Amino acid sequence: EDFYFSLEEKAAVLGSAMTSALKKSRDLSSTQEERREFTENAPDMMSGKLREWYDTYHQKWLSNNPERKLFEKDLEKKRYTEWIADMLRIHSYKNEKALFKNMQLCSVSNIKNEILFLPFGKGESKKNDFKFAILSGSPLEIIGAAVTYSIARCTGKGAYLIAKKLFPDGVPDTFEDYLKSLSLQKA
């Protein structure tokens, strides 16, 4: 499901959209048995059979769960091409390069009753100092505030422009500081 919002959107609306998206997401990770079989049967890195082995296990992994068909190469490529075309049309970009020029990325996961936010940026290491989590049952205003804060914490070319629009006086050091400025408390 795709959602499009302006930078001025209310936190409760953002929180509602995030909650909806998380409810529709699926866990397609490998089972312990799949991981064990995958590693036990892995060839030596120098054997030259690595690609063949990977393709075999990837195909088996796809067939173990019908929802994993999402990761078939042809379907992924088709969805990506359609998504790019829609984004270019909706946002009036001239080409794919212009679309991605100042795009921000924040990974969001719902794990063990916590929503984990991982803002990223171009050239950033995997360390990610700005990750934070909130409880899954938090009020929509808190979830929406977390969305806003995580976007402002992205780094890379153009990120400062978005952060400046969202936080004209500067991005708070922590999510808790941001909630205090809104007179909200983390659940």
Side-chain angles (χ1 to χ4, degrees), residues 50-72:
L50 200 56
R51 171 49 65 192
E52 178 184 320
W53 164 80
Y54 173 80
D55 288 342
T56 300
Y57 277 91
H58 182 72
Q59 204 51 47
K60 188 174 183 179
W61 182 82
L62 289 172
S63 63
N64 282 350
N65 180 339
E67 289 188 326
R68 291 180 183 164
K69 295 290 182 192
L70 289 166
F71 296 103
E72 286 183 340

Side-chain angles (χ1 to χ4, degrees), residues 161-179:
L161 296 173
I162 293 170
K164 188 73 174 161
K165 284 184 179 183
L166 291 170
F167 296 95
D169 297 328
V171 180
D173 291 334
T174 67
F175 181 60
E176 286 75 15
D177 289 344
Y178 177 45
L179 289 180

Side-chain angles (χ1 to χ4, degrees), residues 4-16:
Y4 303 96
F5 300 107
S6 72
L7 292 177
E8 295 81 28
E9 192 59 70
K10 294 186 183 313
V13 174
L14 295 173
S16 178

